[in-house]
């Protein structure tokens, strides 16, 4: 089984790219669990919710047995967000980040226009967050490719990276 994580800061095209890749490869698309979880809350989220989101996302990706999976968001997102918003991160999230669930991370650059969304919080911090993702993926020795440019360019870059992985 090969799992591809599409990751990066808010409003950088993760979902659009992940859905397009799933269609291209006829692979299951595993959506970002955080969105579903947060939209169902009747209160503002807190740091404890991040563990619940992580657990739900883990269950979602573990449920599929397809040979190739395209996953919208990885656990590094949870670590970066927890540290950025709350100044620390739970041991549970650290454990999921350390585990090697993904064969490749496609890190989306924030070089596309911000799209307003009720769940998005920091349009002014996308570049800063992107650099944190680069740092974290590098430090954790996670295989990643930066994806940037137009929607068409992004899709082609991602397809090429996945095809290279499939040929290994």
């Amino acid at each position: 089984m090969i799992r591809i994580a599409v990751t990066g800061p808010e409003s950088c095209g993760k979902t659009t790219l992940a859905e397009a890749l799933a269609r291209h490869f006829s692979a299951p698309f595993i959506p970002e669990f955080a969105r579903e979880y947060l939209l169902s809350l009747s209160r503002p989220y807190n740091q404890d919710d991040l563990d619940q989101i992580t657990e739900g996302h883990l269950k979602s990706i573990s449920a599929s047995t397809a040979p190739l999976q395209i996953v919208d968001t990885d656990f590094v997102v949870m670590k970066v967000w927890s540290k950025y918003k709350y100044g620390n991160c739970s041991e549970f999230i650290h454990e999921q980040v350390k585990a090697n669930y993904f064969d490749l991370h496609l890190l989306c650059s924030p070089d596309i226009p911000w799209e307003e969304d009720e769940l998005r919080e920091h349009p002014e911090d996308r570049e800063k967050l992107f650099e944190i993702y680069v740092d974290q993926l590098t430090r954790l020795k996670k295989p990643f490719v930066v994806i940037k440019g137009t929607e068409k360019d992004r899709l082609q870059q991602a397809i090429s990276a996945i095809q290279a992985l499939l040929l290994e």
Side-chain angles (χ1 to χ4, degrees):
M1 172 184 312
I2 294 176
R3 285 193 183 117
I4 308 298
V6 182
T7 192
E10 298 176 298
S11 191
C12 66
K14 294 183 297 288
T15 301
T16 300
L17 179 59
E19 289 174 337
L21 288 169
R23 282 190 303 274
H24 177 84
F25 287 103
S26 298
F29 165 71
I30 315 286
E32 176 185 17
F33 185 79
R35 181 162 291 280
E36 174 187 331
Y37 181 90
L38 294 172
L39 289 173
S40 73
L41 281 182
S42 57
R43 59 171 172 74
Y45 75 95
N46 59 51
Q47 189 172 13
D48 292 335
D49 289 313
L50 300 183
D51 280 356
Q52 297 301 312
I53 291 167
T54 300
E55 186 174 340
H57 198 57
L58 179 58
K59 286 179 184 175
S60 294
I61 67 171
S62 299
S64 176
T65 58
L68 175 64
Q69 297 174 12
I70 308 296
V71 183
D72 182 353
T73 307
D74 66 342
F75 300 110
V76 174
V77 167
M78 301 309 298
K79 177 183 178 184
V80 168
W81 193 251
S82 185
K83 286 189 166 199
Y84 192 76
K85 187 167 176 83
Y86 300 106
N88 59 58
C89 182
S90 75
E91 187 56 37
F92 178 67
I93 292 173
H94 277 294
E95 289 170 9
Q96 302 321 305
V97 169
K98 289 177 192 170
N100 287 320
Y101 293 107
F102 301 102
D103 300 282
L104 178 64
H105 296 74
L106 301 173
L107 176 57
C108 295
S109 171
D111 63 345
I112 60 174
W114 171 269
E115 289 187 20
E116 191 65 37
D117 180 305
E118 68 217 86
L119 298 177
R120 295 178 179 153
E121 300 178 36
H122 296 286
E124 70 285 353
D125 293 343
R126 293 189 309 156
E127 281 295 331
K128 180 179 179 181
L129 286 163
F130 177 76
E131 293 305 323
I132 294 170
Y133 283 102
V134 170
D135 179 68
Q136 284 296 304
L137 291 167
T138 302
R139 281 186 197 205
L140 293 163
K141 296 181 171 63
K142 302 282 186 184
F144 75 97
V145 173
V146 173
I147 303 296
K148 58 187 175 181
T150 67
E151 190 173 323
K152 182 179 177 184
D153 292 340
R154 289 165 172 257
L155 181 58
Q156 193 53 53
Q157 291 165 32
I159 289 169
S160 294
I162 293 170
Q163 286 175 333
L165 178 66
L166 294 174
L167 292 174
E168 288 181 358

